[in-house]
Amino acid sequence: MTKLQPYEKRPYRPGVGMLLVNDGDLVFVGRRIDQRAEAWQMPQGGIDEGEDARTAAMRELEEEIGTAKAEIVAESRDWIYYDLPPDIADKVWKGQYRGQKQKWFLLRFRGQDSDIRLDTKHQEFDAWRWVPLDQVPALIVPFKQVLYRKVVQEFAPLLARA
């Protein structure tokens, strides 16, 4: 068994997050399939080796909700970081990371609700819905709420124009 680095010395895993909005400026959230508690989140995932963040965002969107019928409207100015609680950090990603640094994207959904399919190869969600932007941070697990508030704050002014 490989010995884990001390939590404070672990790097952040590079990833992307997608704030996907429909024509009514409601935000897509999916209910995580791997949580005991009710946990919703926006699509997000890792950036593969040699992949740029925009490509990763569109790939992850399709992998998680079964469609990439969306266009990127904006990208976060900076990387947004979150730390996993230490007990969780020891279990996910083989304990290699302390959390993630993510580039977030505002995307406008260009498909129909019927295009959204959760029964993907690596299913992450068992339900989904559209919710008002201001409700999103309260739906997420507590350790990601600060990150979600930052995403909402950055993209909220763009929604009426997106």
Side-chain angles (χ1 to χ4, degrees):
M1 184 169 147
T2 307
K3 187 174 182 200
L4 298 177
Q5 278 191 342
Y7 177 81
E8 305 78 31
K9 293 188 177 188
R10 295 179 200 172
Y12 288 91
R13 177 179 181 250
V16 292
M18 289 72 69
L19 192 157
L20 180 67
V21 295
N22 66 13
D23 287 337
D25 281 345
L26 296 175
V27 178
F28 175 94
V29 293
R31 186 173 61 197
R32 292 204 49 99
I33 205 166
D34 60 353
Q35 299 290 313
R36 285 187 221 124
E38 184 98 352
W40 296 79
Q41 73 177 42
M42 294 183 279
Q44 57 189 64
I47 299 174
D48 291 341
E49 184 79 27
E51 187 176 44
D52 67 82
R54 284 178 170 258
T55 303
M58 298 308 291
R59 175 186 52 76
E60 284 288 344
L61 190 67
E62 187 159 19
E63 286 179 6
E64 292 192 8
I65 71 166
T67 184
K69 291 184 178 178
E71 66 180 288
I72 294 174
V73 175
E75 179 177 337
S76 61
R77 288 181 296 277
D78 301 308
W79 291 92
I80 304 173
Y81 292 76
Y82 75 85
D83 289 335
L84 291 165
D87 60 317
I88 296 174
D90 288 347
K91 297 173 187 163
V92 300
W93 306 311
K94 300 178 184 174
Q96 295 177 15
Y97 302 101
R98 70 179 294 165
Q100 282 200 80
K101 66 176 190 175
Q102 298 177 322
K103 269 296 185 171
W104 276 82
F105 294 89
L106 170 61
L107 294 99
R108 175 67 64 188
F109 186 54
R110 296 297 183 201
Q112 304 295 317
D113 284 359
S114 59
D115 294 320
I116 297 172
R117 303 219 20 160
L118 302 182
D119 58 344
T120 60
K121 185 177 179 184
H122 301 288
Q123 187 173 353
E124 293 196 27
F125 304 127
D126 65 2
W128 69 273
R129 62 187 179 179
W130 297 107
V131 300
L133 182 64
D134 63 350
Q135 292 179 14
V136 174
L139 298 172
I140 192 70
V141 293
F143 67 86
K144 288 185 185 177
Q145 287 179 353
V146 170
L147 172 134
Y148 269 51
R149 283 194 289 276
K150 288 178 183 176
V151 170
V152 166
Q153 182 178 13
E154 183 165 349
F155 290 137
L158 303 176
L159 280 188
R161 300 188 310 246

